[in-house]
Amino acid sequence: MISQVLRDARKYEETAEKAVAVESRPGFHLSTRIGWMNDPNGFSFYNGEYHLFYQYNPYSSHWDTMHWGHVASSDLLHWRYLPTALAPDMDYDRDGCFSGSAITLPDGRHMLIYTGVEKEIRPDGSTYALQRQCIAVGDGIDYEKYPNNPVLSENNLPEGSSKYDFRDPKIFQKADGSYGCVVGNCDKDRDGRVLLFSSKDGFSWNFERIFAANNGRFGKMWECPDFFELDGKQVVIVSPQEMMPQGFEYHNGNGTLCLIGKIDETTGEFVEEHNQSIDYGIDFYAPQTTLAPDGRRIMIGWMQNWDTCPGNASDRLWFGQMTLPRELSIKDGRLIQKPIKEIENLRQNKVSYENLTFTDVIQLDGIKGRKVDMELSIQPGDEKQIYHKFAVRFAQDGNYQTSVSFRPYEGIVKIDRKFSGSRRAVIHQRRSLVRTKGGKLKLRIILDRFSAEIFVNDGEHVLTVTMYTDQTADGISFFADGAVTMDVVKYDL
Ligand code: FRU
């Protein structure tokens, strides 16, 4: 049975999307079908295809009562819009179907687990919203909400847990076929933690333990947890709210955090060994991973951030993009991210230059564009003296540019979109401390009309930024203060 609320959304999106010109969207990054998009949800491989859902308000380009938008793809680059999967049409989710995840059941059905939000009014007139975990089961198009929803509520919470911040379930299957689920939560002081629940069949759930706890370190409430094994380590990912800066590692506001560690076999506890940011740029939040059939752990994130949205999106028919899916691995205890290999199939018009030494601004024949995959490696052009600064400027014309720059003495890579055409006082720059020796650096820059993703030193650091500069600004130039020697290979995508 499809509810009227869901029917309305499906009908609306089908008509409204016609007004969105293909060129007004990114080329190979997913953007919302219409209206507003935030977190990726339900990222999974089901019936021979990748499925991705997203936090979705079809009716305007601003966040409002959440639905789940839905797309499918065979290569993670060409996405096909499917009808809205979930709408807020039950009492327990009438104020929003918040983030969650998906898994395939043994009988072949696709199961979604999400947070149902229900606002209530206290006798004194103030409102509060309960957050509970709910299930919907379907065939890859239509999903039926489970009659016994919610499956996890305030009754399942440990002592001291907030029932108003209990959201974003990420389900996984264990080796014995049973299920685990990590859910974002905080205590009464809003200190973040990840709760672990378990289930034999995916439908009835028990609380297991507080799986990872902030203890006042990284922000407040922890949103959108994920948990998986990678290269012999255990990895917990969360998106903390209200962070405070720590050196160049963490910045103020909504951030992302990756905890790498191991499970203590005797206690079952997660033991942290290392923590780091996931993305060091400006527009990144709420990433979610899935396991590809070939064993790759693939992550996709919301390519915006609550704190850095341009704010004034009301003139757009769509607002919200996802990052490029990224392949994850661990090297020297750090999380490494690389663009999915499928992107190489989109490469055309190779242009390359080797051993170019320059000391000022240069432009290179054949190197321009807003849908680009470009790999650079640089080193000092003068053995005796390392250059002071190197920069690549892109989305550039006489008035506008966005840039990534590198200062070898400081080891700092900086992204700067101040001159991208933005008229808001949101964050425009961010700096990241990278590993570098002797002035050497590798960059891979992926441009797709409204974004740049900068992979530093083969994915040791990634900086993501959106820029809404007019598409006619398609120049790319290189700048050196001191002598830089550069190899560059560029493809159009
Ligand atoms: C993270 C988040 C989630 C929530 C969703 C609501 O961006 O706040 O915690 O489920 O967005 O849209």
Side-chain angles (χ1 to χ4, degrees):
M1 257 298 283
I2 292 175
S3 70
Q4 192 59 43
V5 187
L6 182 57
R7 217 193 320 264
D8 287 349
R10 288 180 167 190
K11 207 168 140 201
Y12 179 82
E13 66 190 355
E14 229 181 283
T15 317
E17 75 169 346
K18 298 198 174 99
V20 184
V22 179
E23 321 74 67
S24 76
R25 292 184 180 280
F28 49 90
H29 284 75
L30 176 67
S31 56
T32 180
R33 185 167 183 179
I34 188 75
W36 165 274
M37 161 197 275
N38 58 288
D39 315 355
N41 295 157
F43 192 20
S44 52
F45 191 82
Y46 177 68
N47 265 353
E49 272 189 310
Y50 293 97
H51 282 253
L52 183 68
F53 304 79
Y54 54 91
Q55 289 289 282
Y56 180 38
N57 174 25
Y59 301 112
S60 92
S61 55
H62 294 276
W63 189 93
D64 208 339
T65 318
M66 285 289 108
H67 296 58
W68 274 36
H70 188 187
V71 285
S73 171
S74 56
D75 67 356
L76 296 159
L77 295 167
H78 298 86
W79 296 98
R80 182 172 89 253
Y81 290 111
L82 295 173
T84 298
L86 298 177
D89 52 13
M90 304 298 277
D91 278 343
Y92 54 79
D93 64 16
R94 64 177 177 224
D95 294 294
C97 299
F98 276 18
S99 284
S101 53
I103 206 155
T104 305
L105 291 170
D107 63 10
R109 292 178 301 160
H110 202 202
M111 185 171 92
L112 312 181
I113 179 160
Y114 68 98
T115 302
V117 180
E118 185 178 4
K119 279 196 191 138
E120 283 179 5
I121 303 177
R122 292 194 183 92
D124 69 1
S126 62
T127 60
Y128 61 97
L130 284 173
Q131 303 191 330
R132 306 184 182 110
Q133 316 323 316
C134 306
I135 278 174
V137 178
D139 60 1
I141 301 281
D142 295 317
Y143 293 84
E144 206 166 309
K145 291 180 183 170
Y146 181 49
N148 295 339
N149 274 344
V151 296
L152 281 172
S153 70
E154 55 277 21
N155 305 327
N156 304 87
L157 288 171
E159 188 65 29
S161 275
S162 163
K163 54 187 178 185
Y164 312 119
D165 285 294
F166 176 39
R167 58 181 175 270
D168 312 335
K170 176 76 197 299
I171 190 170
F172 54 92
Q173 195 163 25
K174 301 187 201 168
D176 66 1
S178 69
Y179 301 93
C181 185
V182 283
V183 187
N185 182 233
C186 60
D187 65 15
K188 297 273 186 282
D189 301 321
R190 303 204 64 249
D191 195 27
R193 53 204 197 173
V194 176
L195 304 181
L196 176 66
F197 298 86
S198 66
S199 168
K200 287 215 155 54
D201 59 1
F203 292 88
S204 70
W205 290 90
N206 295 308
F207 171 69
E208 283 291 325
R209 63 174 68 246
I210 296 175
F211 192 57
N214 188 24
N215 298 324
R217 296 171 298 163
F218 310 108
K220 294 283 200 178
M221 166 64 188
W222 282 5
E223 301 189 305
C224 300
D226 199 343
F227 170 61
F228 49 89
E229 195 182 306
L230 186 65
D231 295 336
K233 295 281 180 193
Q234 309 291 328
V235 180
V236 172
I237 278 177
V238 287
S239 294
Q241 297 178 316
E242 299 170 64
M243 291 187 87
M244 290 207 281
Q246 286 181 30
F248 291 104
E249 193 60 38
Y250 300 105
H251 54 73
N252 308 67
N254 284 79
T256 51
L257 169 68
C258 173
L259 301 171
I260 298 176
K262 56 176 191 289
I263 302 288
D264 183 316
E265 298 291 339
T266 45
T267 62
E269 268 169 35
F270 174 70
V271 185
E272 286 177 33
E273 292 169 353
H274 167 73
N275 68 77
Q276 66 171 96
S277 269
I278 301 172
D279 192 286
Y280 295 81
I282 298 176
D283 299 297
F284 186 83
Y285 197 63
Q288 187 174 93
T289 72
T290 194
L291 195 61
D294 60 9
R296 285 177 296 166
R297 177 60 59 177
I298 299 181
M299 179 181 77
I300 192 163
W302 182 37
M303 196 157 58
Q304 294 292 342
N305 182 299
W306 296 110
D307 282 324
T308 61
C309 284
N312 193 357
S314 54
D315 56 336
R316 304 186 70 91
L317 294 171
W318 65 267
F319 184 80
Q321 318 173 54
M322 294 300 171
T323 63
L324 199 63
R326 301 172 183 175
E327 294 173 10
L328 302 185
S329 58
I330 292 181
K331 201 177 121 205
D332 301 335
R334 274 191 69 82
L335 185 73
I336 304 292
Q337 302 169 58
K338 296 201 170 138
I340 40 155
K341 67 171 191 292
E342 285 82 346
I343 196 160
E344 288 161 30
N345 300 330
L346 302 187
R347 287 173 162 181
Q348 23 174 337
N349 308 331
K350 178 175 176 181
V351 178
S352 68
Y353 294 85
E354 266 171 43
N355 248 330
L356 275 179
T357 299
F358 57 103
T359 54
D360 202 347
V361 178
I362 56 165
Q363 280 169 333
L364 298 170
D365 271 355
I367 298 199
K368 62 173 193 162
R370 290 287 286 270
K371 281 163 63 199
V372 161
D373 184 352
M374 182 162 70
E375 289 181 281
L376 308 171
S377 71
I378 57 164
Q379 57 182 51
D382 175 349
E383 274 173 23
K384 288 188 274 330
Q385 203 185 12
I386 296 182
Y387 57 93
H388 288 285
K389 185 180 166 187
F390 166 79
V392 189
R393 297 167 181 158
F394 46 86
Q396 184 178 26
D397 63 10
N399 295 318
Y400 302 118
Q401 64 172 54
T402 294
S403 67
V404 53
S405 60
F406 174 56
R407 289 180 184 272
Y409 290 106
E410 295 165 21
I412 295 283
V413 169
K414 182 169 101 176
I415 185 97
D416 187 346
R417 61 170 180 186
K418 193 166 56 187
F419 302 108
S420 66
S422 160
R423 292 179 189 277
R424 314 296 304 180
V426 294
I427 298 279
H428 289 119
Q429 300 176 334
R430 195 153 273 152
R431 289 180 295 167
S432 170
L433 189 60
V434 302
R435 288 212 301 199
T436 179
K437 222 172 143 195
K440 287 192 181 160
L441 190 78
K442 281 171 87 177
L443 294 176
R444 179 159 173 200
I445 301 177
I446 308 240
L447 305 181
D448 186 9
R449 291 200 176 118
F450 309 104
S451 64
E453 286 165 279
I454 320 283
F455 296 81
V456 183
N457 290 337
D458 299 313
E460 281 180 359
H461 287 80
V462 189
L463 293 91
T464 300
V465 66
T466 60
M467 71 276 177
Y468 293 90
T469 320
D470 194 277
Q471 296 301 307
T472 54
D474 65 351
I476 296 178
S477 62
F478 305 89
F479 166 86
D481 176 0
V484 167
T485 299
M486 173 174 85
D487 291 342
V488 53
V489 185
K490 174 254 172 189
Y491 301 88
D492 293 324
L493 293 172

